[in-house]
């Protein structure tokens, strides 16, 4: 069943009601996916709500759809998982956002650190953020996620550290030279505390974190953790870390 993100649905959509598809959904469903009148699809609003609909009429510029039913609301995630990602080139970043969404990240926090080799000016940043959002939307469409992960505007490193200053958060920054492994840290965390309300995972740029950044991370209450003996690409580290967190505490368990 094709799924499309329906950003701002009218309130109180009821079965039997007919709606005009917003331009973005029309483009995607009719022009790209070539749905025809009579075809069924699912629309979701990114806040956990979704509807089964049937396309009833299509012309060159617009399509109407009938609401068949509202699907049961998607359960809220057990806790939030924020993936803080050093901004990288387009492809690895897209990969990390796509796989991160599939693996249940609830928020993405791009950041610039000292060794980030990508810096975007404001105009390019805006376009890139739109592109990142489209990657996240399309991953949600594909994987059945009805809660759209949040995407923050890129922060500088210190602000990314501060963004995690919430009570009962587990904060891990990934560093291949850390003493503790992520599975060991998760094991200790589980033994010590009940389920956290939020988990933050920070992945560095290809050049890694500087020692000053590692000190700042420790001072801000983040634990350095490693993922085995090999150096992973940042996007691989992000997906592996998220998988371990979800397996230890979340919905892969
Ligand atoms: N040259 C860098 C490697 C950076 S890899 C260095 O030696 O640190 C890019 C990012 O992926 C790193 O900043 C780190 O956050 C993460 N990463 C890669 N391999 C890792 C590992 N084995 N354990 C933990 N984090 C890792």
């Amino acid at each position: 069943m094709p799924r499309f993100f329906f950003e701002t649905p009218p309130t109180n959509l009821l079965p039997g009601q007919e709606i005009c598809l917003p331009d973005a959904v029309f483009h995607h469903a009719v022009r790209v996916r070539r749905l025809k009148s009579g075809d069924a699809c699912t629309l979701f609003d990114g806040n956990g709500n979704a509807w089964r609909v049937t396309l009833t009429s299509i012309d060159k510029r617009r399509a109407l759809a009938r609401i068949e039913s509202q699907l049961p609301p998607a359960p809220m995630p057990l806790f939030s998982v924020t993936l803080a990602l050093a901004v990288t080139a387009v492809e690895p970043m897209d990969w990390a956002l796509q796989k991160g969404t599939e693996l249940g990240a609830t928020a993405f926090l791009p950041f610039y650190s000292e060794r980030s080799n990508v810096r975007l000016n404001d105009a390019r940043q805006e376009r890139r953020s739109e592109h990142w959002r489209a990657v996240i939307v399309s991953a949600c469409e594909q994987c059945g996620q009805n809660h759209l992960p949040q995407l923050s505007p890129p922060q500088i490193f210190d602000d990314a550290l501060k963004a995690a200053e919430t009570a009962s958060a587990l904060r891990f920054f990934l560093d291949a030279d850390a003493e503790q492994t992520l599975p060991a840290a998760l094991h200790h965390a589980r033994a010590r505390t009940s389920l956290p309300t939020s988990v933050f995972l920070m992945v560095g740029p290809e050049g890694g974190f500087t020692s000053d950044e590692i000190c700042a991370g420790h001072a801000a209450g983040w634990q350095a953790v490693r993922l085995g003996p090999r150096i992973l690409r940042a996007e691989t580290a992000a997906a592996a870390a998220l998988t371990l967190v979800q397996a230890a505490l979340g919905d892969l368990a």
Side-chain angles (χ1 to χ4, degrees):
M1 176 75 63
R3 292 165 38 82
F4 303 102
F5 177 47
F6 187 17
E7 188 159 6
T8 38
T11 43
N12 289 333
L13 279 183
L14 294 171
Q17 202 172 325
E18 203 155 67
I19 53 166
C20 182
L21 294 183
D23 289 349
V25 179
F26 172 78
H27 176 80
H28 193 173
V30 177
R31 298 243 163 82
V32 181
R33 300 287 298 270
R34 309 230 160 248
L35 294 196
K36 304 270 177 280
S37 186
D39 286 347
C41 62
T42 298
L43 303 178
F44 65 99
D45 71 351
N47 293 316
N49 304 304
W51 299 266
R52 189 66 35 89
V53 307
T54 306
L55 301 193
T56 49
S57 84
I58 298 178
D59 64 28
K60 281 214 169 67
R61 289 215 195 89
R62 60 175 216 158
L64 299 178
R66 186 177 58 240
I67 308 288
E68 302 296 356
S69 60
Q70 177 156 14
L71 301 176
M76 286 300 288
L78 301 170
F79 53 89
S80 67
V81 192
T82 302
L83 208 46
L85 298 167
V87 177
T88 58
V90 176
E91 278 175 25
M93 191 80 184
D94 287 3
W95 199 94
L97 294 169
Q98 184 191 68
K99 306 311 178 213
T101 301
E102 290 171 32
L103 290 164
T106 57
F108 295 101
L109 176 62
F111 69 91
Y112 292 111
S113 63
E114 223 164 286
R115 295 194 183 133
S116 295
N117 49 10
V118 176
R119 299 269 163 189
L120 301 170
N121 63 29
D122 287 353
R124 285 187 64 207
Q125 183 50 64
E126 203 156 307
R127 282 201 300 277
R128 189 66 63 84
S129 288
E130 274 170 30
H131 169 79
W132 289 338
R133 188 156 187 275
V135 171
I136 295 168
V137 164
S138 118
C140 284
E141 288 174 341
Q142 176 272 324
C143 78
Q145 170 65 282
N146 284 342
H147 290 285
L148 191 75
Q150 276 175 21
L151 172 67
S152 309
Q155 319 271 309
I156 56 169
F157 177 76
D158 286 346
D159 289 344
L161 287 182
K162 285 195 203 115
E165 279 172 1
T166 55
S168 96
L170 290 175
R171 291 167 278 252
F172 301 113
F173 66 92
L174 292 146
D175 173 20
D177 295 325
E179 269 175 32
Q180 191 175 210
T181 65
L182 178 57
L186 289 167
H187 183 76
H188 290 310
R190 259 197 101 144
R192 252 193 352 255
T193 51
S194 50
L195 204 61
T197 54
S198 48
V199 177
F200 289 82
L201 295 168
M202 181 178 269
V203 182
E206 288 310 331
F209 293 111
T210 63
S211 48
D212 282 356
E213 287 169 341
I214 291 176
C215 288
H218 282 300
W222 290 66
Q223 301 177 55
V225 290
R226 76 185 141 81
L227 299 165
R230 290 165 296 277
I231 304 290
L232 311 177
R233 289 191 181 269
E235 66 276 24
T236 317
L242 194 49
T243 305
L244 289 168
V245 166
Q246 295 287 39
L249 310 171
D251 55 16
L252 288 183

